[in-house]
Short mmCIF file of all heavy atoms in Angstrom, two decimals:
data_model
loop_
_atom_site.label_atom_id
_atom_site.label_comp_id
_atom_site.label_asym_id
_atom_site.label_seq_id
_atom_site.Cartn_x
_atom_site.Cartn_y
_atom_site.Cartn_z
N ASP A 431 21.87 -13.37 32.21
CA ASP A 431 20.87 -12.52 31.58
C ASP A 431 19.53 -13.25 31.48
O ASP A 431 19.48 -14.48 31.48
CB ASP A 431 21.36 -12.17 30.17
CG ASP A 431 20.82 -10.84 29.67
OD1 ASP A 431 19.95 -10.25 30.32
OD2 ASP A 431 21.29 -10.39 28.61
N ASP A 432 18.45 -12.48 31.38
CA ASP A 432 17.11 -13.03 31.12
C ASP A 432 16.72 -14.10 32.12
O ASP A 432 16.03 -15.07 31.77
CB ASP A 432 17.03 -13.64 29.70
CG ASP A 432 17.28 -12.62 28.62
OD1 ASP A 432 17.31 -11.42 28.93
OD2 ASP A 432 17.43 -13.02 27.46
N ASP A 454 14.62 -10.81 34.24
CA ASP A 454 14.12 -10.42 32.93
C ASP A 454 12.99 -9.41 33.04
O ASP A 454 12.17 -9.44 33.96
CB ASP A 454 13.62 -11.65 32.17
CG ASP A 454 13.44 -11.33 30.70
OD1 ASP A 454 14.45 -11.28 29.98
OD2 ASP A 454 12.29 -11.08 30.28
N GLU A 488 15.76 -5.49 34.98
CA GLU A 488 15.71 -4.72 33.73
C GLU A 488 14.26 -4.39 33.39
O GLU A 488 13.34 -5.04 33.90
CB GLU A 488 16.41 -5.48 32.58
CG GLU A 488 15.79 -6.81 32.25
CD GLU A 488 16.43 -7.51 31.04
OE1 GLU A 488 17.64 -7.35 30.80
OE2 GLU A 488 15.68 -8.21 30.35
CA1 LIG B 810 17.51 -9.44 29.45
#
Side-chain angles (χ1 to χ4, degrees):
D431 208 352
D432 298 349
D454 195 78
E488 61 176 33

